[in-house]
Amino acid sequence: SKNTSPLTVAYFTMEIALGKEIPTFAGGLGVLAADIMRSCGDLKVSAAFVSVCWQYGYLNQRIEIDGTQHYEDIQWNPNKYMSRAKETVTVQIEGRDVTVGAWLFELQNDGHTVPVIFLDTNIPQNNPDDRKITEHLYGGDGAMRLKQEVVLGIGGLRMLRAMGYSNIEMFHMNEGHSAFLTLELLCERGFKDDAVRSSCAFTTHTPVAARSEEHTS
């Protein structure tokens, strides 16, 4: 069934720390997103969260006697914690169509539900390279990061629409990773800038140059 009720906020985040058994996060940014998600549950806020179903996010760290560090990927299975959504959407990346699927996790709090939509390109419809877009959180080069951000920002909004969320009051971007969301909103609204600006909020989590992305052509 379609989600026809209005949303107060749709919260976009590259990572979210639902628990160590769901390692789709790397650190504080994901913890912040999860805290806000649980606050929405406590306060009965009509909210939906959009993130990515990373195959590999949080890592196991091992420190040797000589001080060297080693990192190991954590294997996990989303089937154990969430359900596969029936909806898929398409985004354009490097001139080709990439299909984006989703997993759905639902936080239940005293009769109130806060859905978390995990976007996923590791599906049979995509070629092997595109299936790797949602493989490693913050993995790859600048080109891979842009692909990941297209999936989150553009694919995330399209997925919300496909799931029936047509009435969303505010779009909240957790850091700049979902900035392409604004371009998709501009397309939806006939490039009326004020209409987009007034319905978007932005959080800067780590205000230092090293954590601010820069992409050049």
Side-chain angles (χ1 to χ4, degrees), residues 78-170:
N79 271 304
K80 293 178 62 176
Y81 308 102
M82 53 193 79
S83 59
R84 171 66 82 174
K86 65 181 184 299
E87 294 86 358
T88 61
V89 297
T90 301
V91 296
Q92 277 269 313
I93 294 179
E94 297 177 335
R96 64 185 178 277
D97 287 341
V98 176
T99 302
V100 182
W103 297 85
L104 184 63
F105 176 94
E106 293 185 323
L107 173 72
Q108 302 288 343
N109 189 323
D110 192 25
H112 182 72
T113 302
V114 178
V116 184
I117 300 161
F118 285 96
L119 306 171
D120 185 16
T121 66
N122 184 30
I123 54 179
Q125 294 94 317
N126 292 324
N127 67 46
D129 287 339
D130 291 337
R131 293 183 70 155
K132 292 180 180 179
I133 294 173
T134 58
E135 186 174 74
H136 279 89
L137 171 61
Y138 305 132
D141 56 13
M144 176 57 79
R145 182 68 61 82
L146 283 173
K147 294 176 188 179
Q148 294 172 342
E149 294 177 356
V150 167
V151 168
L152 177 60
I154 297 176
L157 180 58
R158 291 180 181 178
M159 185 61 69
L160 284 171
R161 300 309 193 204
M163 290 181 170
Y165 294 106
S166 59
N167 187 352
I168 303 172
E169 182 178 336
M170 181 62 63

Side-chain angles (χ1 to χ4, degrees), residues 53-69:
C53 189
W54 302 109
Q55 295 174 57
Y56 306 106
Y58 192 76
L59 301 170
N60 278 330
Q61 181 189 53
R62 188 175 75 252
I63 301 177
E64 305 295 349
I65 295 176
D66 63 2
T68 57
Q69 302 177 46

